[in-house]
Amino acid sequence: MSYPPAQLANSLPLLLICDNIRDPGNLGTILRSAAGAGCEKVLLTKGCVDPWEPKVLRAGMGAHFRVPIIASLDWESVPTNLPAGIQVCVADNNDPDAPASTAASAPASPKPPVKSSPKAAPEHEDEEGAAGIPELAAQHYYEDWARAPVAVVIGGETHGLSPAALRLAASTGGKRLVIPVVPGVDSLNSAIAAGIVLFEGKRQLLWRHKQEDGRQKLPVPG
């Protein structure tokens, strides 16, 4: 498939990986955000809804014809579709800086919380075991994280991030990106979270490119 020249000219070394996005409306909206942010490509793992399903096409508003989409990937084949030297980060709803009052309202747990480890998908949790889930450094999405090339994983609202997504991020030195919300408010819709993180990634990549371009243009002394 060929893509509009303007889209290709404004493409960034920013990739999106969708992990178990099963709602057609959410996936279509996510693809639209990916096209708008200038993502290089979008990878869909097995478990995601068919990107060419009619409801996804309607929600995508033409995004399917603006950004390359590679669907039905198993996690073993995801790295082969990523550029060398990429860092993979994951978007997660577990805020490590949540106020103590919020935590106090939750039922007591016999185990101390591990704040730097995002929750894996419940459907895989028993199979993998806690020992198989790597810990990732957590930071807010607006802090410095986007260095080219970079990929972001968005998990489905029902099952969240899979252990395979967390292992991939850990193997690349990736981070957990947290979008802080007001205490008591439920986690953000996955499509909204994707839009926030992708456009922040775009902002950081463009700012870094501008800084590097400015340094290259500085006159050489002497």
Side-chain angles (χ1 to χ4, degrees):
M1 185 183 297
S2 59
Y3 299 93
Q7 187 77 28
L8 297 175
N10 290 279
S11 178
L12 295 169
L14 175 63
L15 290 80
L16 175 65
I17 304 172
C18 293
D19 180 14
N20 276 309
I21 304 294
R22 300 179 180 180
D23 182 87
N26 280 347
L27 181 59
T29 304
I30 288 171
L31 293 175
R32 188 176 179 184
S33 294
C39 284
E40 182 179 313
K41 69 174 76 170
V42 178
L43 308 181
L44 308 181
T45 63
K46 289 180 179 179
C48 288
V49 64
D50 181 0
W52 298 99
E53 199 263 358
K55 291 182 180 179
V56 182
L57 285 168
R58 282 198 294 270
M61 295 294 289
H64 293 69
F65 308 103
R66 292 185 169 275
V67 60
I69 302 168
I70 304 176
S72 299
L73 293 172
D74 53 43
W75 281 102
E76 288 73 19
S77 61
V78 168
T80 63
N81 288 276
L82 299 174
I86 195 168
Q87 184 181 62
V88 178
C89 297
V90 300
D92 190 68
N93 291 317
N94 183 23
D95 190 348
D97 295 329
S101 58
T102 304
S105 63
S109 172
K111 296 181 180 180
V114 181
K115 294 183 179 179
S116 61
S117 178
K119 186 177 181 180
E123 62 182 3
H124 299 295
E125 209 166 32
D126 293 337
E127 301 173 7
E128 300 288 339
I133 302 175
E135 295 184 10
L136 299 175
Q139 65 175 65
H140 291 124
Y141 78 97
Y142 49 77
E143 296 173 326
D144 184 33
W145 56 270
R147 287 176 172 77
V150 65
V152 176
V153 182
I154 297 291
E157 291 178 50
T158 303
H159 298 292
L161 295 161
S162 64
L166 303 177
R167 286 195 294 270
L168 176 61
S171 70
T172 65
K175 300 175 181 178
R176 180 161 65 91
L177 307 177
V178 176
I179 303 174
V181 295
V182 173
V185 176
D186 198 5
S187 61
L188 294 179
N189 171 283
S190 60
I192 297 297
I196 292 173
V197 174
L198 287 177
F199 276 88
E200 174 60 19
K202 175 181 181 177
R203 185 195 69 79
Q204 292 187 20
L205 288 172
L206 291 177
W207 178 85
R208 182 163 284 107
H209 176 74
K210 184 177 180 181
Q211 294 293 107
E212 293 173 352
D213 190 52
R215 284 196 295 268
Q216 290 174 1
K217 293 180 180 178
L218 289 175
V220 180

